[in-house]
Amino acid sequence: MTHTPEIRIRWSVFLIWLFHVSAIVGVLAGYGDWFISLSPLNLLLCVGLVVLSNRRQENFALIIPFAIGMIAEIIGVQTGLLFGDYSYGEMLGWKILGVPLMIGFNWALLVYATATIAAITGVNLLVRAFIGATLMVLLDLIMEPVAPRIDYWIFANNEVPLKNYVHWFAVALIAHLLYLKFGGKKDGILGWNLYLAFFTFFIVLLFI
């Protein structure tokens, strides 16, 4: 019984890579539209795997980046003040005030993943939050050119303004600080693999 959590995490890592490698193979084989349409399901499955691997307090802390992400994105879509003039497509499913619910889950997953990577530095909370937010912006740099092609979101005139990255970093920094302050998971192999799987998937899409 003492090994059950470790086995669960190993299976979770395996399933995360199975989802993403299958999607990559499917896209390369010419079935991109079908695999991309499964994005909401993939996100929900990843959320489920993270929740199963976490303790109760760690799962409670995930509500923080979910809420911060949704609020920031709603303000962004409705006003254009935070990230620029952009809108979400239909690929990510049901929306609240123009923002897919899946985007909130995506914020929670990315903060979880980047916080676990930043934990390896062993430095104070502020520095870890800074590193985590930087890793999120790095992933966003790769996602932005891909997003319009797969109907995730699109900016006016297909131009991503600099303030998108600046404000994304600022919001991510706040989300990390509160997530870590209120008991978010600070280490773990699952977060590393989740981030690398996301990164690999979008890198492949970027260059095909």
Side-chain angles (χ1 to χ4, degrees), residues 1-187:
M1 293 298 292
T2 56
H3 297 292
T4 299
E6 182 180 348
I7 292 173
R8 186 185 303 145
I9 290 173
R10 287 180 179 178
W11 271 105
S12 295
V13 168
F14 170 76
L15 289 172
I16 283 172
W17 280 106
L18 178 64
F19 300 157
H20 288 84
V21 170
S22 297
I24 289 170
V25 172
V27 169
L28 294 176
Y31 299 97
D33 291 345
W34 187 81
F35 278 94
I36 296 299
S37 72
L38 298 178
S39 295
L41 177 60
N42 179 55
L43 282 172
L44 285 177
L45 289 171
C46 289
V47 169
L49 293 172
V50 168
V51 167
L52 287 173
S53 73
N54 279 351
R55 298 181 179 90
R56 182 179 299 178
Q57 179 62 33
E58 293 166 347
N59 283 327
F60 178 78
L62 284 172
I63 297 172
I64 295 171
F66 174 89
I68 289 175
M70 283 299 295
I71 292 169
E73 296 282 357
I74 289 171
I75 294 172
V77 165
Q78 296 295 325
T79 69
L81 294 176
L82 286 179
F83 308 118
D85 186 6
Y86 71 109
S87 60
Y88 281 98
E90 302 303 318
M91 189 62 70
L92 293 175
W94 187 66
K95 300 175 185 177
I96 298 175
L97 297 176
V99 178
L101 190 63
M102 291 300 108
I103 288 296
F105 288 121
N106 190 58
W107 269 88
L109 287 173
L110 290 181
V111 169
Y112 163 83
T114 53
T116 61
I117 296 173
I120 196 173
T121 61
V123 293
N124 64 47
L125 183 146
L126 181 59
V127 176
R128 293 204 308 272
F130 183 91
I131 294 171
T134 301
L135 289 170
M136 284 185 61
V137 173
L138 176 62
L139 183 59
D140 191 46
L141 284 166
I142 298 168
M143 293 172 65
E144 292 297 351
V146 175
R149 289 162 38 198
I150 56 178
D151 196 31
Y152 275 12
W153 63 82
I154 187 168
F155 280 85
N157 302 317
N158 210 20
E159 295 180 0
V160 184
L162 178 61
K163 72 176 182 179
N164 170 68
Y165 303 109
V166 174
H167 292 165
W168 225 70
F169 175 85
V171 175
L173 182 66
I174 293 169
H176 273 86
L177 287 170
L178 293 175
Y179 171 74
L180 293 170
K181 182 70 174 178
F182 287 95
K185 193 174 183 68
K186 300 175 180 65
D187 54 31

